[in-house]
DNA sequence: AACCTCGGTGCAAAGGTTTGCGCACTCTGA
DNA sequence: TCAGAGTGCGCAAACCTTTGCACCGAGGTT
C-alpha cells in the first residue's frame, strides 16, 4: 500500500527538514524578504513581474506563512472564539456552522468552547480565548463574565443596553404566537407554562435576559393582555439544564393539581419532549385530551406521536447574521473607525409557527410535510 | 447599569494601554525575563521565594502570556484541529464535545472545520489547519487528502493499514446484531438494506472504509452467512448526504418491486427517519406490516410512531477515546519517543441494540424508557 | 544643468517568549 | 587557602513575519 504522499496536490518540500520561511523564498527568488512578504500580499507596489518570480519560488518550495509569527507581528490572530453552553445541542451547532461559513469566507477560523451552562467555565473560556488573541467573540453567554475588550456579539442569551451587539430569537413574538394559537384558535383558557426556573443560580448570574426568562415574561404579558389567569401552579419548571427528565417530573406534578390545565406551552424542545413522554405515560391523548405546543421545533417532530406543533427558529440565518455583525465590527476596528454604527446592532429574528397535531389541529394532509 | 468591569475577577491592568509583557513583570519583580518565564513555568531552578515575587508581580499586572509569541518560539500551538463533515450532525457534535473535554484538560484548544463531505473542502481545511501549526488532528475524513505530517487520529471514516490511529464504531458487529435480530427473533428472510451509494464520487475519493461502505459489506456478509438472499433490488440507496428526502424516495421505489421486503435496515438515523416517513405516507403499519430498524439511534426515537428499534452508539466514549489516543501521540512526540506504540492504535467501539417497536417487538412497559 | 518625483526595493526594528549556555557567588572538604 | 561542586539567575539568540523609512535610479520639470 502506497504512502498517502502520492495524493497530496501541489508541490511539497521534498527535504523534510524544516518548513521553508520567507527567507528561503527570498533567496530563491533573488529578492529581499520584505519584497516576498509584499508580493504575497498582493501589494500594488510590487510589479507583476517580480510578483511572478516570488510566487513561483514560493510554490516551488511549498512555502506557507507561519501564522504564529504573523499574529505576533500584526497583533491579530484571524481567530474568532465561539462560546456556547453545549455544542452538542442542535441549536448551537447549527448557529456555529452557519457563522463559521461566513467567517471562513472572510478568512477567519473558529475556536469553540463549551461552558456547560456554568459562569465559572465561561469565565475561564473567555480568558483562554483572550490569551489566544482572538480577534472577536460570538457568545451565547451562560451569564458569567462579560468581555469588555474587543468586538463581541451575543446570540441567544442577550445583553441589552450595553452597546454590545446581539442577535437573538424573537422570544416575545414567538410566545405571543403560541398563546394566540391556543387561546383564539382552540379557545383554551387554562394554559400552563413549562420552562426552567427564572433567576440566577449558584452557577449562573445575570439571567435577566436569558431566553427562559424572556419567554416566561412574554407568557405572562400576553396572558395578562388577554385577561387569562396565570395561577402559580400553572407555572411548571424543569431544571436549569433543560433536561427531558426534569420536564417529565414537572409535568407529572402539573397534571396532579386540582384543576389541571387544558394546554401546555413548553419553553424549549427538550422540555416538550419530556412533557410528551410523561403525558403519554399518564395515558393522555395529546392533541385531544390536552394540547401541547413547543417553543423550538424538535427534530423530526412531524414523526412523533402525535406530530408536534411548534415554533421553528431560523437557526442558520441567526448564525449568519451574528457572524456578519461581528465581521462589521472587526472591519470597523481594523480601519480605525470605531463607532461607525451604520449597521443595526441589535436584531431579533422571528419564528414561524408550524401547526401539526399536538395542539389539537386536525390532520390535514398529514404526511405531506417535506423533510428538513 | 454598571459596566461589565465590576465583575471580572482578579486584578486587571488599570491603565488600558497595552497588555503587560514578560519584561514588565520582570521589571516589577526586579528579576530578568528568563527568570519570570521559568518561575511561571514552575521550573525547579527557581526557588520558592523568587517565584513568589514573580507571581505577585504578574498577578498585580494582570499578566497573561502571549500565546502567539510562545507558539512561534516553541513551534507548538497547543491547538488541535478537528475536521468533520458537518458539525450540525449530532454524532460529530457529540464526539467533538467529548474529545474537547479531554483535550482541554490537557491544555489544548480546539479549532473545528466542516468539510461538507467534500474532499476539496477537506484538503483546504487541512491545509489551513497546518498553517495554524496545530499540534494534532482529529478527523472524520470525507475521503480527501490525508495529512502525513503530525499526529492524527481518525474516527468514523477509517484509514486502515497505514499506521495512523483510528477509533470507529463497530460497523460489522452492529450490522450483525441487526440482521440477527430480524432473522432469528422475527424470522424475516426478505430483508432490504437502505444505505448510501458505495464507491467514490466526484467529490470524494477513497471510500473503501467509509461507514456506509463498511455497513453495506457487513450486511452482505452476514446475510450470506445465513444463506439469505440479497437481490439487487433489495439494495436501496439515498444520496451521499444521507438526506431524509433521498431515503424517502428510495424507499418509495423499494416498496414497488414485485416482491417487496418484509424488513428494512436503514444504515443511518436520517435514512431511517426518511424511511419511516415514506412508509407512513404509503399507509404501512410499521412494526406489523413491515419491520424497520436503524443503525444509529435517532434522537427521541422512543417517542416516534412507532418507537424505533435501533443501534445506540457510544458517541461520547468514542470521542474520549479518540482524544486520548491523540494525546498519547502528542506526548510521545514531545518526549521524542516516536514509535512507542504501547497503546492500541486501532479501536472499534461496540454498539448496543435498543429494542423498541418498529421491528415488530411487543410493547413491553412501553413508556418506561428513561430519557437520554 | 540642477532639482523633483516616484516607482521599486531593501534594511532593520519590532513583536513576546523560551532556553542553551555560562557567569558569579556560596559552600564544603582537604 | 584553594579546588570543586552547587545554586541562582541573566544574556542573548532564535522563532518568522510585517512595515516604517530610506535609498536608488530613471524620467520629467524648470
Amino acid at each position: 500500500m502506497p504512502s498517502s504522499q502520492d495524493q497530496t496536490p501541489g508541490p511539497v518540500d521534498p527535504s523534510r527538514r524544516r518548513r521553508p520561511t520567507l527567507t528561503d523564498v527570498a533567496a530563491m527568488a533573488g529578492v529581499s524578504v520584505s519584497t516576498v512578504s509584499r508580493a504575497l500580499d498582493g501589494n500594488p507596489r510590487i510589479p507583476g513581474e517580480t510578483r511572478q518570480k516570488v510566487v513561483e519560488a514560493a510554490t516551488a518550495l511549498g512555502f506557507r506563512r507561519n501564522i504564529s509569527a504573523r499574529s505576533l507581528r500584526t497583533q491579530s490572530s484571524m481567530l474568532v472564539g465561539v462560546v456556547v453552553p453545549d455544542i452538542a445541542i442542535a441549536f448551537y451547532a447549527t448557529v456555529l456552522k452557519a457563522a463559521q461559513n461566513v467567517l471562513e469566507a472572510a478568512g477567519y477560523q473558529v475556536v469553540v468552547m463549551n461552558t456547560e451552562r456554568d459562569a465559572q467555565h465561561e469565565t475561564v473560556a473567555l480568558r483562554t480565548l483572550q490569551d489566544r488573541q482572538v480577534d472577536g467573540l460570538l457568545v451565547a453567554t451562560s451569564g458569567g463574565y462579560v468581555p469588555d475588550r474587543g468586538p463581541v456579539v451575543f446570540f441567544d442569551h442577550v445583553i441589552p443596553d450595553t452597546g454590545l451587539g446581539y442577535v437573538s430569537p424573537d422570544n416575545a413574538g414567538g410566545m405571543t404566537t403560541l398563546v394566540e394559537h391556543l387561546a383564539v384558535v382552540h379557545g383554551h383558557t387554562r394554559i400552563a407554562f413549562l420552562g426552567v426556573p427564572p433567576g440566577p443560580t449558584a452557577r449562573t448570574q445575570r439571567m435577566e435576559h436569558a431566553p427562559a426568562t424572556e419567554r416566561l415574561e412574554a407568557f405572562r404579558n400576553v396572558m395578562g393582555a388577554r385577561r387569562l389567569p396565570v395561577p402559580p401552579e400553572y407555572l411548571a419548571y424543569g431544571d436549569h439544564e433543560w433536561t427531558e427528565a426534569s420536564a417529565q417530573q414537572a409535568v407529572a406534578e402539573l397534571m396532579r393539581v386540582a384543576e389541571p390545565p387544558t394546554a401546555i406551552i413548553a419553553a424549549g424542545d427538550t422540555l416538550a419532549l419530556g412533557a410528551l413522554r410523561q403525558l403519554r405515560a399518564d395515558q393522555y391523548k395529546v392533541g385531544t385530551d390536552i394540547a401541547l405546543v413547543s417553543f423550538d421545533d424538535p427534530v423530526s417532530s412531524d414523526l412523533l406521536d402525535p406530530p408536534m406543533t411548534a415554533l421553528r427558529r431560523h437557526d442558520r440565518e441567526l448564525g449568519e447574521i451574528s457572524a456578519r455583525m461581528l465581521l462589521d465590527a472587526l472591519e470597523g476596528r481594523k480601519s480605525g473607525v470605531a463607532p461607525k454604527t451604520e449597521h443595526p446592532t441589535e436584531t431579533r429574528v422571528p419564528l414561524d409557527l408550524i401547526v401539526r397535531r399536538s395542539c389539537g389541529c386536525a390532520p390535514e394532509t398529514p404526511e405531506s410535510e417535506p423533510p428538513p
Side-chain angles (χ1 to χ4, degrees), chain A:
Chain A
M1 172 143 289
S3 100
S4 56
Q5 181 63 15
D6 53 8
Q7 286 242 106
T8 134
V12 163
D13 180 5
S15 70
R16 177 108 323 157
R17 312 170 57 81
R18 177 177 67 84
R19 284 179 65 148
T21 74
L22 270 190
T23 316
D24 302 322
V25 179
M28 183 167 201
V31 295
S32 73
V33 294
S34 14
T35 301
V36 176
S37 178
R38 285 193 262 254
L40 263 23
D41 277 354
N43 187 319
R45 285 175 62 184
I46 307 295
E49 201 181 347
T50 310
R51 180 185 347 255
Q52 185 74 7
K53 270 194 316 197
V54 169
V55 169
E56 272 165 19
T59 58
L61 256 30
F63 170 76
R64 315 240 72 213
R65 278 160 151 78
N66 180 319
I67 299 200
S68 302
R70 168 200 282 251
S71 299
L72 177 59
R73 182 64 233 254
T74 62
Q75 308 284 25
S76 142
S77 60
M78 294 307 277
L79 234 34
V80 165
V82 174
V83 359
V84 293
D86 180 353
I87 193 58
I89 290 176
F91 170 63
Y92 298 115
T94 307
V95 171
L96 166 65
K97 188 187 165 199
Q100 186 157 212
N101 278 341
V102 353
L103 255 15
E104 278 177 6
Y108 290 87
Q109 272 91 60
V110 164
V111 9
V112 215
M113 312 231 62
N114 295 306
T115 67
E116 310 286 348
R117 302 188 191 284
D118 179 323
Q120 296 249 94
H121 267 71
E122 178 168 324
T123 302
V124 339
L126 253 8
R127 209 196 296 292
T128 307
L129 257 14
Q130 263 190 203
D131 287 358
R132 278 259 173 238
Q133 326 263 113
V134 295
D135 292 344
L137 247 21
L138 234 36
V139 2
T141 185
S142 298
Y145 165 71
V146 174
D148 53 352
R149 211 210 247 321
V152 51
V153 1
F154 295 90
F155 63 99
D156 196 38
H157 182 156
V158 137
I159 314 278
D161 306 325
T162 162
L164 299 166
Y166 68 80
V167 14
S168 146
D170 181 11
N171 291 315
M175 188 52 74
T176 307
T177 309
L178 249 24
V179 174
E180 307 254 295
H181 184 78
L182 255 19
V184 343
V185 176
H186 294 283
H188 286 282
T189 56
R190 283 150 53 194
I191 305 177
F193 175 89
L194 171 61
V196 306
T201 65
R203 307 178 68 219
T204 95
Q205 317 142 23
R206 249 210 320 270
M207 298 300 288
E208 314 95 48
H209 292 271
T213 315
E214 288 196 341
R215 288 172 200 179
L216 173 55
E217 283 313 306
F219 174 74
R220 283 205 153 101
N221 290 343
V222 337
M223 289 293 278
R226 302 202 77 82
R227 305 249 177 284
L228 257 22
V230 184
E233 66 269 25
Y234 278 12
L235 262 21
Y237 300 118
D239 59 22
H240 279 280
E241 283 73 37
W242 301 71
T243 61
E244 293 188 25
S246 71
Q248 233 173 300
Q249 174 70 22
V251 166
E253 285 170 22
L254 175 62
M255 297 312 285
R256 273 200 292 271
V257 304
E259 203 175 33
T262 60
I264 302 178
I265 297 180
D269 51 357
T270 50
L271 263 20
L273 259 12
L276 175 57
R277 188 174 285 114
Q278 184 61 37
L279 291 172
R280 281 174 54 169
D282 287 349
Q283 314 293 341
Y284 287 95
K285 289 241 171 304
V286 175
T288 72
D289 296 348
I290 185 165
L292 172 65
V293 300
S294 170
F295 209 107
D296 294 353
D297 199 22
V299 291
S300 57
S301 52
D302 61 313
L303 295 178
L304 296 178
D305 181 20
M308 179 102 62
T309 294
L311 250 25
R312 172 128 67 210
R313 245 181 326 202
H314 296 203
D315 298 349
R316 209 181 43 214
E317 188 185 353
L318 194 151
E320 288 168 356
I321 295 179
S322 314
R324 263 191 276 276
M325 194 180 282
L326 184 61
L327 242 26
D328 281 349
L330 254 20
E331 287 308 315
R333 150 163 311 220
K334 199 182 301 175
S335 53
V337 197
K340 193 185 185 178
T341 330
E342 53 178 34
H343 301 276
T345 174
E346 314 197 340
T347 308
R348 291 286 185 173
V349 355
L351 301 116
D352 298 337
L353 180 67
I354 311 290
V355 175
R356 297 200 188 86
R357 312 255 309 267
S358 68
C359 58
C361 279
E364 29 149 340
T365 55
E367 309 289 353
S368 67
E369 183 166 339

